[in-house]
mmCIF file of all heavy atoms in Angstrom:
data_model
loop_
_atom_site.group_PDB
_atom_site.id
_atom_site.type_symbol
_atom_site.label_atom_id
_atom_site.label_comp_id
_atom_site.label_asym_id
_atom_site.label_seq_id
_atom_site.Cartn_x
_atom_site.Cartn_y
_atom_site.Cartn_z
ATOM 1 N N ASP A 1 -1.643 13.588 -6.248
ATOM 2 C CA ASP A 1 -1.389 12.212 -5.834
ATOM 3 C C ASP A 1 -0.219 12.123 -4.861
ATOM 4 O O ASP A 1 -0.232 11.317 -3.937
ATOM 5 C CB ASP A 1 -1.116 11.356 -7.076
ATOM 6 C CG ASP A 1 -0.890 9.902 -6.718
ATOM 7 O OD1 ASP A 1 -1.821 9.273 -6.196
ATOM 8 O OD2 ASP A 1 0.226 9.400 -6.952
ATOM 9 N N ALA A 2 0.795 12.980 -5.066
ATOM 10 C CA ALA A 2 1.978 12.921 -4.198
ATOM 11 C C ALA A 2 1.686 13.490 -2.813
ATOM 12 O O ALA A 2 2.204 13.007 -1.810
ATOM 13 C CB ALA A 2 3.137 13.676 -4.846
ATOM 14 N N HIS A 3 0.858 14.536 -2.762
ATOM 15 C CA HIS A 3 0.545 15.197 -1.491
ATOM 16 C C HIS A 3 -0.969 15.389 -1.403
ATOM 17 O O HIS A 3 -1.491 16.482 -1.643
ATOM 18 C CB HIS A 3 1.275 16.538 -1.382
ATOM 19 C CG HIS A 3 2.753 16.436 -1.595
ATOM 20 N ND1 HIS A 3 3.582 15.766 -0.724
ATOM 21 C CD2 HIS A 3 3.543 16.869 -2.599
ATOM 22 C CE1 HIS A 3 4.827 15.813 -1.174
ATOM 23 N NE2 HIS A 3 4.825 16.470 -2.309
ATOM 24 N N PRO A 4 -1.698 14.322 -1.061
ATOM 25 C CA PRO A 4 -3.165 14.363 -1.152
ATOM 26 C C PRO A 4 -3.818 15.422 -0.291
ATOM 27 O O PRO A 4 -4.882 15.917 -0.623
ATOM 28 C CB PRO A 4 -3.581 12.956 -0.726
ATOM 29 C CG PRO A 4 -2.426 12.430 0.056
ATOM 30 C CD PRO A 4 -1.208 13.023 -0.583
ATOM 31 N N LEU A 5 -3.193 15.784 0.831
ATOM 32 C CA LEU A 5 -3.784 16.808 1.678
ATOM 33 C C LEU A 5 -3.739 18.180 1.027
ATOM 34 O O LEU A 5 -4.420 19.113 1.463
ATOM 35 C CB LEU A 5 -3.080 16.848 3.037
ATOM 36 C CG LEU A 5 -3.254 15.592 3.901
ATOM 37 C CD1 LEU A 5 -2.372 15.671 5.136
ATOM 38 C CD2 LEU A 5 -4.700 15.396 4.303
ATOM 39 N N GLU A 6 -2.923 18.320 -0.038
ATOM 40 C CA GLU A 6 -2.854 19.575 -0.789
ATOM 41 C C GLU A 6 -3.837 19.602 -1.948
ATOM 42 O O GLU A 6 -3.940 20.620 -2.646
ATOM 43 C CB GLU A 6 -1.427 19.793 -1.311
ATOM 44 C CG GLU A 6 -0.384 19.970 -0.215
ATOM 45 C CD GLU A 6 -0.677 21.186 0.656
ATOM 46 O OE1 GLU A 6 -0.878 22.286 0.105
ATOM 47 O OE2 GLU A 6 -0.735 21.018 1.893
ATOM 48 N N SER A 7 -4.526 18.500 -2.223
ATOM 49 C CA SER A 7 -5.561 18.493 -3.258
ATOM 50 C C SER A 7 -6.592 19.563 -2.922
ATOM 51 O O SER A 7 -6.846 19.854 -1.755
ATOM 52 C CB SER A 7 -6.237 17.129 -3.336
ATOM 53 O OG SER A 7 -5.284 16.116 -3.594
ATOM 54 N N ALA A 8 -7.196 20.149 -3.955
ATOM 55 C CA ALA A 8 -8.032 21.319 -3.685
ATOM 56 C C ALA A 8 -9.141 21.480 -4.702
ATOM 57 O O ALA A 8 -9.049 21.022 -5.845
ATOM 58 C CB ALA A 8 -7.167 22.578 -3.660
ATOM 59 N N LEU A 9 -10.196 22.143 -4.262
ATOM 60 C CA LEU A 9 -11.208 22.702 -5.148
ATOM 61 C C LEU A 9 -10.863 24.173 -5.342
ATOM 62 O O LEU A 9 -10.628 24.895 -4.363
ATOM 63 C CB LEU A 9 -12.599 22.580 -4.529
ATOM 64 C CG LEU A 9 -13.183 21.181 -4.362
ATOM 65 C CD1 LEU A 9 -14.501 21.264 -3.609
ATOM 66 C CD2 LEU A 9 -13.387 20.532 -5.714
ATOM 67 N N PHE A 10 -10.816 24.608 -6.593
ATOM 68 C CA PHE A 10 -10.433 25.984 -6.880
ATOM 69 C C PHE A 10 -11.678 26.862 -6.870
ATOM 70 O O PHE A 10 -12.550 26.746 -7.727
ATOM 71 C CB PHE A 10 -9.712 26.061 -8.221
ATOM 72 C CG PHE A 10 -8.407 25.329 -8.224
ATOM 73 C CD1 PHE A 10 -8.200 24.250 -9.060
ATOM 74 C CD2 PHE A 10 -7.388 25.701 -7.370
ATOM 75 C CE1 PHE A 10 -7.008 23.565 -9.056
ATOM 76 C CE2 PHE A 10 -6.184 25.021 -7.352
ATOM 77 C CZ PHE A 10 -5.988 23.948 -8.197
ATOM 78 N N LEU A 11 -11.737 27.732 -5.892
ATOM 79 C CA LEU A 11 -12.852 28.644 -5.736
ATOM 80 C C LEU A 11 -12.352 30.073 -5.880
ATOM 81 O O LEU A 11 -11.145 30.321 -5.955
ATOM 82 C CB LEU A 11 -13.513 28.425 -4.371
ATOM 83 C CG LEU A 11 -14.035 27.000 -4.139
ATOM 84 C CD1 LEU A 11 -14.508 26.836 -2.706
ATOM 85 C CD2 LEU A 11 -15.158 26.671 -5.114
ATOM 86 N N ALA A 12 -13.248 31.023 -5.965
ATOM 87 C CA ALA A 12 -12.850 32.417 -6.128
ATOM 88 C C ALA A 12 -12.048 32.882 -4.911
ATOM 89 O O ALA A 12 -12.368 32.547 -3.772
ATOM 90 C CB ALA A 12 -14.094 33.287 -6.310
ATOM 91 N N ARG A 13 -10.985 33.598 -5.188
ATOM 92 C CA ARG A 13 -10.119 34.180 -4.152
ATOM 93 C C ARG A 13 -9.474 33.127 -3.247
ATOM 94 O O ARG A 13 -9.180 33.391 -2.094
ATOM 95 C CB ARG A 13 -10.886 35.209 -3.309
ATOM 96 C CG ARG A 13 -11.448 36.362 -4.119
ATOM 97 C CD ARG A 13 -11.803 37.545 -3.238
ATOM 98 N NE ARG A 13 -12.819 37.245 -2.266
ATOM 99 C CZ ARG A 13 -14.135 37.309 -2.504
ATOM 100 N NH1 ARG A 13 -14.568 37.644 -3.716
ATOM 101 N NH2 ARG A 13 -15.011 37.048 -1.571
ATOM 102 N N GLY A 14 -9.252 31.920 -3.769
ATOM 103 C CA GLY A 14 -8.563 30.912 -2.970
ATOM 104 C C GLY A 14 -9.060 29.515 -3.252
ATOM 105 O O GLY A 14 -9.910 29.303 -4.117
ATOM 106 N N ALA A 15 -8.498 28.566 -2.504
ATOM 107 C CA ALA A 15 -8.829 27.157 -2.722
ATOM 108 C C ALA A 15 -9.296 26.535 -1.417
ATOM 109 O O ALA A 15 -8.946 26.989 -0.320
ATOM 110 C CB ALA A 15 -7.614 26.408 -3.258
ATOM 111 N N LEU A 16 -10.085 25.492 -1.555
ATOM 112 C CA LEU A 16 -10.494 24.679 -0.407
ATOM 113 C C LEU A 16 -9.712 23.383 -0.484
ATOM 114 O O LEU A 16 -9.955 22.543 -1.346
ATOM 115 C CB LEU A 16 -11.998 24.400 -0.446
ATOM 116 C CG LEU A 16 -12.573 23.564 0.704
ATOM 117 C CD1 LEU A 16 -12.404 24.290 2.030
ATOM 118 C CD2 LEU A 16 -14.032 23.229 0.444
ATOM 119 N N LYS A 17 -8.732 23.224 0.411
ATOM 120 C CA LYS A 17 -7.852 22.062 0.381
ATOM 121 C C LYS A 17 -8.422 20.922 1.228
ATOM 122 O O LYS A 17 -9.199 21.148 2.152
ATOM 123 C CB LYS A 17 -6.462 22.432 0.898
ATOM 124 C CG LYS A 17 -5.709 23.414 0.018
ATOM 125 C CD LYS A 17 -4.310 23.663 0.563
ATOM 126 C CE LYS A 17 -3.530 24.607 -0.337
ATOM 127 N NZ LYS A 17 -2.154 24.832 0.178
ATOM 128 N N VAL A 18 -7.977 19.710 0.891
ATOM 129 C CA VAL A 18 -8.390 18.546 1.673
ATOM 130 C C VAL A 18 -7.989 18.724 3.134
ATOM 131 O O VAL A 18 -8.754 18.391 4.045
ATOM 132 C CB VAL A 18 -7.775 17.259 1.084
ATOM 133 C CG1 VAL A 18 -7.965 16.089 2.044
ATOM 134 C CG2 VAL A 18 -8.411 16.929 -0.264
ATOM 135 N N ALA A 19 -6.796 19.259 3.372
ATOM 136 C CA ALA A 19 -6.342 19.456 4.752
ATOM 137 C C ALA A 19 -7.308 20.348 5.526
ATOM 138 O O ALA A 19 -7.506 20.169 6.732
ATOM 139 C CB ALA A 19 -4.940 20.066 4.761
ATOM 140 N N ASP A 20 -7.924 21.323 4.836
ATOM 141 C CA ASP A 20 -8.864 22.225 5.508
ATOM 142 C C ASP A 20 -10.107 21.487 5.992
ATOM 143 O O ASP A 20 -10.733 21.888 6.983
ATOM 144 C CB ASP A 20 -9.290 23.348 4.557
ATOM 145 C CG ASP A 20 -8.124 24.194 4.075
ATOM 146 O OD1 ASP A 20 -7.149 24.334 4.839
ATOM 147 O OD2 ASP A 20 -8.188 24.704 2.938
ATOM 148 N N LEU A 21 -10.476 20.426 5.279
ATOM 149 C CA LEU A 21 -11.714 19.720 5.602
ATOM 150 C C LEU A 21 -11.670 19.092 6.986
ATOM 151 O O LEU A 21 -12.702 18.949 7.650
ATOM 152 C CB LEU A 21 -11.995 18.638 4.556
ATOM 153 C CG LEU A 21 -12.134 19.134 3.108
ATOM 154 C CD1 LEU A 21 -12.340 17.949 2.169
ATOM 155 C CD2 LEU A 21 -13.287 20.120 2.980
ATOM 156 N N TYR A 22 -10.468 18.699 7.430
ATOM 157 C CA TYR A 22 -10.339 18.050 8.738
ATOM 158 C C TYR A 22 -10.451 19.048 9.888
ATOM 159 O O TYR A 22 -10.313 18.677 11.044
ATOM 160 C CB TYR A 22 -9.023 17.269 8.806
ATOM 161 C CG TYR A 22 -9.066 16.012 7.973
ATOM 162 C CD1 TYR A 22 -8.688 16.019 6.635
ATOM 163 C CD2 TYR A 22 -9.529 14.819 8.501
ATOM 164 C CE1 TYR A 22 -8.749 14.875 5.863
ATOM 165 C CE2 TYR A 22 -9.603 13.665 7.735
ATOM 166 C CZ TYR A 22 -9.208 13.701 6.417
ATOM 167 O OH TYR A 22 -9.275 12.566 5.654
ATOM 168 N N ARG A 23 -10.695 20.325 9.531
ATOM 169 C CA ARG A 23 -10.881 21.345 10.565
ATOM 170 C C ARG A 23 -12.251 22.031 10.452
ATOM 171 O O ARG A 23 -12.488 23.034 11.119
ATOM 172 C CB ARG A 23 -9.755 22.377 10.477
ATOM 173 C CG ARG A 23 -8.382 21.787 10.772
ATOM 174 C CD ARG A 23 -7.310 22.864 10.852
ATOM 175 N NE ARG A 23 -6.966 23.425 9.562
ATOM 176 C CZ ARG A 23 -6.038 22.912 8.748
ATOM 177 N NH1 ARG A 23 -5.385 21.819 9.101
ATOM 178 N NH2 ARG A 23 -5.757 23.482 7.596
ATOM 179 N N LEU A 24 -13.125 21.505 9.601
ATOM 180 C CA LEU A 24 -14.462 22.075 9.429
ATOM 181 C C LEU A 24 -15.506 21.244 10.180
ATOM 182 O O LEU A 24 -15.286 20.078 10.478
ATOM 183 C CB LEU A 24 -14.836 22.123 7.947
ATOM 184 C CG LEU A 24 -14.069 23.107 7.056
ATOM 185 C CD1 LEU A 24 -14.561 22.999 5.620
ATOM 186 C CD2 LEU A 24 -14.204 24.540 7.558
ATOM 187 N N ASP A 25 -16.634 21.864 10.452
ATOM 188 C CA ASP A 25 -17.770 21.174 11.064
ATOM 189 C C ASP A 25 -19.002 21.518 10.235
ATOM 190 O O ASP A 25 -19.749 22.435 10.551
ATOM 191 C CB ASP A 25 -17.950 21.620 12.515
ATOM 192 C CG ASP A 25 -18.953 20.742 13.263
ATOM 193 O OD1 ASP A 25 -19.473 19.786 12.644
ATOM 194 O OD2 ASP A 25 -19.209 21.015 14.444
ATOM 195 N N LEU A 26 -19.197 20.781 9.128
ATOM 196 C CA LEU A 26 -20.231 21.131 8.156
ATOM 197 C C LEU A 26 -21.627 20.745 8.615
ATOM 198 O O LEU A 26 -22.591 21.440 8.329
ATOM 199 C CB LEU A 26 -19.932 20.455 6.809
ATOM 200 C CG LEU A 26 -18.637 20.877 6.116
ATOM 201 C CD1 LEU A 26 -18.456 20.093 4.831
ATOM 202 C CD2 LEU A 26 -18.653 22.373 5.829
ATOM 203 N N ASP A 27 -21.759 19.591 9.279
ATOM 204 C CA ASP A 27 -23.060 19.088 9.719
ATOM 205 C C ASP A 27 -24.071 19.134 8.576
ATOM 206 O O ASP A 27 -25.189 19.632 8.724
ATOM 207 C CB ASP A 27 -23.573 19.897 10.911
ATOM 208 C CG ASP A 27 -24.790 19.231 11.558
ATOM 209 O OD1 ASP A 27 -24.903 17.992 11.480
ATOM 210 O OD2 ASP A 27 -25.633 19.959 12.120
ATOM 211 N N ALA A 28 -23.676 18.608 7.411
ATOM 212 C CA ALA A 28 -24.543 18.592 6.235
ATOM 213 C C ALA A 28 -25.055 17.179 5.987
ATOM 214 O O ALA A 28 -24.435 16.200 6.400
ATOM 215 C CB ALA A 28 -23.786 19.092 5.010
ATOM 216 N N ASP A 29 -26.187 17.088 5.294
ATOM 217 C CA ASP A 29 -26.696 15.780 4.907
ATOM 218 C C ASP A 29 -25.998 15.282 3.655
ATOM 219 O O ASP A 29 -25.751 14.087 3.508
ATOM 220 C CB ASP A 29 -28.203 15.852 4.664
ATOM 221 C CG ASP A 29 -28.796 14.475 4.419
ATOM 222 O OD1 ASP A 29 -28.686 13.624 5.323
ATOM 223 O OD2 ASP A 29 -29.336 14.242 3.326
ATOM 224 N N LEU A 30 -25.649 16.208 2.746
ATOM 225 C CA LEU A 30 -25.026 15.830 1.484
ATOM 226 C C LEU A 30 -24.129 16.951 0.997
ATOM 227 O O LEU A 30 -24.521 18.120 1.004
ATOM 228 C CB LEU A 30 -26.108 15.555 0.422
ATOM 229 C CG LEU A 30 -25.631 15.342 -1.024
ATOM 230 C CD1 LEU A 30 -24.819 14.056 -1.133
ATOM 231 C CD2 LEU A 30 -26.815 15.316 -1.982
ATOM 232 N N VAL A 31 -22.922 16.577 0.602
ATOM 233 C CA VAL A 31 -22.035 17.495 -0.121
ATOM 234 C C VAL A 31 -21.781 16.886 -1.491
ATOM 235 O O VAL A 31 -21.365 15.728 -1.591
ATOM 236 C CB VAL A 31 -20.702 17.720 0.619
ATOM 237 C CG1 VAL A 31 -19.776 18.593 -0.231
ATOM 238 C CG2 VAL A 31 -20.943 18.384 1.970
ATOM 239 N N THR A 32 -22.050 17.656 -2.518
ATOM 240 C CA THR A 32 -21.818 17.202 -3.885
ATOM 241 C C THR A 32 -20.643 17.964 -4.478
ATOM 242 O O THR A 32 -20.601 19.198 -4.418
ATOM 243 C CB THR A 32 -23.065 17.419 -4.755
ATOM 244 O OG1 THR A 32 -24.125 16.620 -4.251
ATOM 245 C CG2 THR A 32 -22.794 17.024 -6.195
#
């Protein structure tokens, strides 16, 4: 809550942070 861009999904060998999302190009119909 204090640093929302540091929020993350914990995946194997690392995390996917919210900040990372603003640099991706997923071109997906749906992300669940």
Side-chain angles (χ1 to χ4, degrees):
D1 182 63
H3 306 294
L5 295 173
E6 296 299 308
S7 302
L9 293 174
F10 295 117
L11 301 173
R13 301 198 298 274
L16 180 63
K17 294 183 178 181
V18 169
D20 300 329
L21 301 177
Y22 287 89
R23 296 187 287 273
L24 291 179
D25 191 1
L26 297 178
D27 191 28
D29 187 60
L30 171 66
V31 175
T32 296

